[in-house]
Amino acid sequence: MIKFLEKNNKISWAITILIAITIFVLSSMTFGGGYGTTNINSTIYHFTIFFFLGFFLLISLLKGKDDSFLLFIGIMIAIAYGITDELHQFFVPGRFCSLIDAAFDTTGILFAGVIYFVRVKIKRGNKK
């Protein structure tokens, strides 16, 4: 599946953009619950959605190539998106800006980066 997305770059970009739009839309919604609290569902959501954003962004940028610079740029773009998402929530009534949520976003992105980096290295090692 990943190989297919690396070869069909337009599809991987479409998925990446769809995930980013989904994050923005969900961040624009007001949910019930405690103000300023982080629960396990929120933690899982932040880690998971940003893991997928980071993973698909890296697939889209690197296309299976071993390029540390693009890997770094992809991770930085995803982290910047996570931070701006938290800032965006500050302006949404009933939502709040949370450094804890930003940390879980970043953790998910970094985890995706490690997994994709290892995958590329293994794939490259198998070709030698």
Side-chain angles (χ1 to χ4, degrees):
M1 179 68 169
I2 294 172
K3 193 178 218 179
F4 171 81
L5 292 171
E6 290 169 343
K7 288 183 180 184
N8 296 284
N9 198 247
K10 290 179 183 177
I11 295 172
S12 62
W13 274 113
I15 293 169
T16 303
I17 292 167
L18 183 62
I19 293 169
I21 290 170
T22 301
I23 291 168
F24 181 81
V25 169
L26 290 174
S27 293
S28 299
M29 295 177 163
T30 302
F31 295 102
Y35 184 79
T37 60
T38 301
N39 61 35
I40 189 69
N41 292 334
S42 173
T43 300
I44 292 169
Y45 163 77
H46 281 272
F47 179 88
T48 304
I49 197 78
F50 279 92
F51 171 87
F52 284 112
L53 176 69
F55 197 75
F56 281 98
L57 180 61
L58 292 174
I59 290 171
S60 301
L61 285 175
L62 275 75
K63 298 180 259 184
K65 297 176 191 153
D66 186 5
D67 188 333
S68 298
F69 179 72
L70 278 180
L71 179 76
F72 175 77
I73 293 298
I75 288 172
M76 289 297 108
I77 289 170
I79 289 172
Y81 191 79
I83 291 168
T84 58
D85 175 59
E86 289 303 318
L87 292 173
H88 163 246
Q89 289 182 47
F90 179 77
F91 299 101
V92 176
R95 299 299 296 263
F96 63 96
C97 180
S98 168
L99 290 176
I100 294 170
D101 288 348
F104 284 114
D105 298 346
T106 301
T107 303
I109 293 162
L110 292 174
F111 193 63
V114 167
I115 289 174
Y116 193 69
F117 177 77
V118 168
R119 184 213 178 266
V120 168
K121 289 292 187 184
I122 288 171
K123 184 178 113 177
R124 187 165 194 194
N126 288 340
K127 286 186 177 181
K128 288 183 178 181

